[in-house]
Amino acid sequence: MSADAAPAPPHKPLSAAQKALRKLGLLRDIDLALHLPLRYEDETRITTLAQAREGEVVQLEGVVTQQEITYRPRRQLLVTLDDGTDTCTLRFFTFYPSHQKALAVGARVRVRGEIRGGFLGRSIMHPSFHAAGGELPDALTPVYPSSAQLPQAYLRKAVASGLRRADLSETLPPELLPSLRQALQGQHAPVMSLREALHFLHHPGPDVSLAALEDRSHPAWQRLKAEELLAQQLSQQMSRRERDALRAPRLGAPAGGLHEQLLAALPFALTAAQRRVVEEIAHDLARPVPMHRLLQGDVGSGKTVVAALAAAVAIGAGWQCALMAPTEILAEQHFAKLVGWLEPLLAPLGKRVAWLTGSQKKKQRTEMLALIASGEAALVVGTHAVIQDQVRFQRLALAIIDEQHRFGVAQRLALRSKTGDDAPAQAGEPHLLMMTATPIPRTLAMSYYADLDVSTIDELPPGRTPIVTKVVADSRRAEVIERIRAQVAQGRQVYWVCPLIEESEALDLSNATATHAELSTALPEAMVGLLHSRMPAAEKKAVMTLFSEGVMGVLVSTTVIEVGVDVPNASLMVIEHAERFGLSQLHQLRGRVGRGAAASACVLMYTPPEGGRLGETARARLRAMVDTSDGFEIARRDLEIRGPGEFLGARQSGAPLLRFADLATDAHLLGWARDAARALLDHHPARADQHVARWLGGKAEYLKA
Ligand code: ADP
Ligand code: MG
């Protein structure tokens, strides 16, 4: 008999409720203990009918004096309850024989529900009920977030036993408690322990202010939020420390080196902000530890040249650099720019810039791969194709990712593992520079991005003219077209963005094709082009070239131009159905104009719903666009409108969002959490591990890329 024929250990199949618990992520005792109520029901007292007011949710106790099923206006079970002070009708539209049995005449029952008034006397619709008797609970009854397969009663029991069994010992050393008390402003009492806080939140006494529980300002909530933020800071500082233990090539930037040659060759001088971030990056590159830096700068702030200078440092030190962009058009633009800036300097060294994309012909691709493997390509620019398996670098020292939020964790990790065949074994991994035009509000940077270093370009190159933003109804389309005509007559160029291409007629989105036809007819004097995501790459490229060379006056497109396109002669941006775009998207799109010296404008066209007004959020977004062109202010409002979830995009895929802390109201705890995490890691590493395991369990891994 073979060894693997041994009987498997008996497995008890999971019940539906157990499966539902798993689905909610409630696996460990501590997960259950940290599963906090959404709200509470007060079953601690019984109200008499004489005292009960209409609209109040009350618990009554009395005797059933009458039961009948009526059919008018529809089938229903009516039960009369008498509690000695008055009577009341219990009304059920759906009911089972068990209802009739439990609520038989003569039964003494406890019922709970909202009292309603009415011509025929007071009633309660679908009250919950059970046999009278038994002690009244001495705490509010918790109502937990649950799912259809998971009855509250089952979940309550599971949580209660999780709470009983979980290890809730204090992870904070005593010396960190005073600072926590201080952070919890205005709280003079001793800080609650986690154990106290959890027991309290699961079973608050009857005299507690429900308001303080509901708005989560209660000291017990405060303690929980502080704990949660601490866990987040800990896991990020841990991954930062792990990274600091890794090696990366040291890339010096000597005087007279390639980066200085590039600086001298540029047709403009760097802004002070660009100089500062170039310094910050150069400082990182000179260290033998992998850089993990996020470069944020508003649209048009000039991130590309900063990337080029970083690349020049790496190349000057004898290494390769890779630059990856999310779309082919964007990668193409980078390629054109970088070739223009760098190839004159590379040619004398016998090096060049390679181009990699998915749509490339096989022959060209093979050629490029060879250049990359031999090291002749000092810089590789492309799309996702750059991280594919066949791509072998000779010695890669710097990876640059544009519009980092468009890439997932796995893709960034792939780039980091590509140091190359010729790199000395001790070289370690490449430095990583991520760029984004969606500025991250400070609280987010301090929380979700705490594991990264952030450089900010907070200044636009000189000579930009402010963009005037107008919101107009679609009914004024004809005026907008006249405006385009005037711009084109002055030799300027115009973008017209439509939200979707032929996605669904039912959505009534005017599609780009129709708009293209309309504008072509209305503007016979101009060349009107069309660009949308379903066009073949070669066609896209041809259209983009005509536009960037100034031949094409008007470019109708879907959001493919959302990121990065740079045509300084474009002076008017029209966004159709602007109400359907997100705020940061609108801001990015608007940033496509105002890049040259001409006065620029952005027209946000909206279509109100039939006979109505735009919704509140849509109006808030459009208002924000008119109010400000500051990317940081836009980001702050966006965070307000949408919350952090969408903001983080691919970065957070699968990683835990904050469940309890709210960056809008709990920012005062962030600074404490950051400092406490540092102290814990420095002086109490075992407690730090315990804390992270408690809060994040297996999920901490996600945060590391
Ligand atoms: P983004 O930060 O949005 O990627 P780009 O790098 O595309 O911005 O730069 C926008 C435009 O500004 C480009 O045409 C670029 O060449 C130009 N530019 C960048 N830095 C400067 C500068 N210091 N002075 C003048 N023009 C600049
Ligand atoms: Mg850019």
Side-chain angles (χ1 to χ4, degrees):
M1 245 197 158
S2 66
D4 58 10
H11 259 302
K12 229 165 90 192
L14 292 179
S15 70
Q18 280 168 323
K19 280 190 199 145
L21 276 183
R22 290 198 169 211
K23 220 161 159 193
L24 289 178
L26 304 177
L27 305 172
R28 309 169 300 166
D29 290 332
I30 187 68
D31 299 330
L32 286 159
L34 293 174
H35 192 63
L36 291 180
L38 274 179
R39 58 189 173 82
Y40 303 89
E41 284 175 354
D42 187 355
E43 296 177 335
T44 60
R45 60 190 121 225
I46 286 174
T47 310
T48 61
L49 273 166
Q51 292 166 325
R53 286 188 307 268
E54 282 168 26
E56 218 180 348
V57 175
V58 293
Q59 179 166 242
L60 307 170
E61 187 170 310
V63 177
V64 175
T65 55
Q66 205 180 336
Q67 183 192 85
E68 63 173 328
I69 294 174
T70 66
Y71 293 89
R72 249 163 296 163
R74 48 189 270 217
R75 185 170 180 271
Q76 53 184 301
L77 173 69
L78 297 177
V79 173
T80 307
L81 183 79
D82 185 337
D83 79 345
T85 67
D86 201 352
T87 62
C88 157
T89 306
L90 313 180
R91 198 184 289 274
F92 298 88
F93 289 112
T94 41
F95 57 92
Y96 303 98
S98 59
H99 283 72
Q100 289 161 267
K101 205 166 141 200
L103 297 169
V105 172
R108 194 168 176 80
V109 290
R110 213 173 262 173
V111 308
R112 205 189 126 76
E114 184 186 324
I115 292 275
R116 299 199 183 177
F119 184 62
L120 297 172
R122 296 198 288 182
S123 68
I124 305 183
M125 299 265 270
H126 283 264
S128 61
F129 61 89
H130 55 87
E135 274 180 41
L136 288 172
D138 53 11
L140 300 177
T141 307
V143 179
Y144 292 104
S146 187
S147 59
Q149 297 74 33
L150 194 57
Q152 275 296 323
Y154 183 93
L155 184 53
R156 265 182 209 141
K157 271 193 204 133
V159 168
S161 77
L163 185 62
R164 234 179 0 258
R165 286 194 303 253
D167 168 18
L168 299 176
S169 55
E170 183 63 82
T171 47
L172 287 182
E175 71 263 25
L176 286 180
L177 290 175
S179 62
L180 176 55
R181 191 173 320 136
Q182 230 165 35
L184 304 175
Q185 298 148 335
Q187 213 185 306
H188 301 295
V191 173
M192 271 183 148
S193 70
L194 176 68
R195 175 186 302 281
E196 288 163 343
L198 284 178
H199 277 274
F200 175 83
L201 290 174
H202 285 293
H203 303 292
D207 306 321
V208 163
S209 142
L210 274 177
L213 282 180
E214 262 147 37
D215 72 8
R216 302 194 167 182
S217 62
H218 190 279
W221 271 119
Q222 295 285 322
R223 172 70 206 240
L224 255 112
K225 295 172 179 191
E227 290 254 325
E228 180 180 44
L229 288 169
L230 176 62
Q232 187 190 45
Q233 291 292 320
L234 278 171
S235 86
Q236 301 216 7
Q237 290 187 27
M238 281 171 170
S239 62
R240 184 188 274 269
R241 284 175 192 220
E242 275 172 35
R243 207 172 64 235
D244 283 347
L246 300 174
R247 314 286 301 164
R250 281 185 107 114
L251 309 172
L258 201 64
H259 77 288
E260 285 199 353
Q261 296 171 30
L262 174 55
L263 264 181
L266 287 174
F268 49 75
L270 295 188
T271 62
Q274 284 170 320
R275 277 203 304 275
R276 177 171 38 77
V277 304
V278 166
E279 279 293 300
E280 288 165 355
I281 293 166
H283 176 263
D284 282 359
L285 293 178
R287 297 176 62 224
V289 168
M291 167 173 81
H292 251 211
R293 191 169 278 280
L294 182 67
L295 172 59
Q296 56 174 349
D298 211 342
V299 271
S301 62
K303 294 183 291 294
T304 317
V305 69
V306 172
L309 286 162
V313 171
I315 298 167
W319 292 77
Q320 286 170 298
C321 172
L323 190 153
M324 185 163 82
T327 67
E328 188 142 348
I329 286 185
L330 188 54
E332 181 104 35
Q333 290 233 345
H334 283 314
F335 181 69
K337 263 224 158 101
L338 293 166
V339 165
W341 284 333
L342 282 167
E343 280 216 329
L345 307 175
L346 295 179
L349 308 173
K351 309 231 172 207
R352 45 181 295 196
V353 183
W355 167 243
L356 268 188
T357 143
S359 67
Q360 221 157 16
K361 293 254 158 39
K362 184 139 193 290
K363 179 159 165 285
Q364 194 193 15
R365 185 180 176 75
T366 316
E367 201 181 303
M368 290 295 163
L369 289 175
L371 287 177
I372 298 167
S374 73
E376 189 180 331
L379 174 62
V380 183
V381 180
T383 57
H384 293 75
V386 171
I387 50 170
Q388 269 151 17
D389 278 346
Q390 314 95 292
V391 186
R392 306 207 76 87
F393 289 88
Q394 188 213 21
R395 44 194 334 239
L396 179 68
L398 172 64
I400 303 175
I401 302 184
D402 197 17
E403 304 302 338
Q404 59 91 25
H405 57 284
R406 297 280 193 108
F407 291 98
V409 168
Q411 290 159 329
R412 288 199 294 262
L413 286 176
L415 253 181
R416 284 169 59 190
S417 66
K418 275 193 171 291
T419 314
D421 303 342
D422 265 26
Q426 73 277 14
E429 56 174 76
H431 298 280
L432 187 56
L433 177 64
M434 295 168 264
M435 307 201 283
T436 182
T438 308
I440 301 165
R442 207 180 67 90
T443 48
L444 270 194
M446 271 181 79
S447 56
Y448 291 100
Y449 289 83
D451 62 326
L452 297 184
D453 295 302
V454 178
S455 287
T456 306
I457 308 182
D458 50 7
E459 175 186 3
L460 293 181
R464 299 276 164 89
T465 47
I467 305 167
V468 177
T469 301
K470 288 237 159 69
V471 176
V472 308
D474 183 68
S475 51
R476 291 169 59 191
R477 223 175 154 87
E479 279 171 56
V480 174
I481 292 176
E482 283 320 303
R483 202 156 166 178
I484 296 178
R485 194 189 311 284
Q487 288 296 309
V488 171
Q490 289 174 39
R492 300 281 164 208
Q493 290 167 278
V494 179
Y495 293 105
W496 180 300
V497 178
C498 310
L500 274 179
I501 176 81
E502 293 162 6
E503 281 302 314
S504 157
E505 265 90 15
L507 282 177
D508 191 27
L509 292 172
S510 47
N511 71 46
T513 319
T515 303
H516 174 244
E518 176 195 357
L519 292 182
S520 302
T521 315
L523 300 163
E525 67 273 35
M527 181 193 250
V528 181
L530 174 63
L531 193 65
H532 62 75
S533 44
R534 295 195 193 154
M535 277 162 51
E539 215 173 297
K540 277 188 202 166
K541 187 174 162 182
V543 171
M544 231 18 246
T545 308
L546 285 171
F547 191 69
S548 57
E549 286 175 353
V551 182
M552 186 180 281
V554 182
L555 179 62
V556 178
S557 84
T558 57
T559 51
V560 283
I561 62 155
E562 180 190 336
V563 284
V565 177
D566 185 27
V567 178
N569 189 46
S571 59
L572 176 60
M573 164 69 65
V574 180
I575 303 177
E576 193 168 357
H577 275 298
E579 76 278 8
R580 308 206 189 226
F581 288 90
L583 192 46
S584 69
Q585 238 181 341
L586 289 174
H587 178 64
Q588 295 258 323
L589 286 169
R590 178 171 61 183
R592 297 308 115 211
V593 295
R595 298 183 156 230
S600 294
C602 173
V603 175
L604 302 173
M605 257 193 332
Y606 68 93
T607 311
E610 197 79 40
R613 259 152 66 87
L614 282 184
E616 185 47 47
T617 353
R619 273 185 293 148
R621 285 198 297 256
L622 299 182
R623 203 177 308 126
M625 286 293 291
V626 174
D627 285 354
T628 179
S629 55
D630 173 356
F632 276 90
E633 177 59 16
I634 297 258
R636 202 187 54 73
R637 296 217 196 171
D638 202 19
L639 182 62
E640 237 169 54
I641 297 173
R642 293 192 301 171
E646 306 206 26
F647 229 92
L648 298 166
R651 175 171 177 80
Q652 283 302 116
S653 53
L657 287 172
L658 292 169
R659 293 148 67 193
F660 305 134
D662 176 345
L663 296 178
T665 53
D666 304 320
H668 59 287
L669 290 174
L670 262 178
W672 171 82
R674 183 191 52 206
D675 298 345
R678 198 170 299 139
L680 218 53
L681 285 170
D682 284 343
H683 306 298
H684 307 276
R687 285 173 181 254
D689 286 341
Q690 188 193 354
H691 192 88
V692 169
R694 172 180 289 171
W695 276 89
L696 300 174
K699 296 179 205 134
E701 285 300 311
Y702 283 110
L703 290 170
K704 288 198 185 147

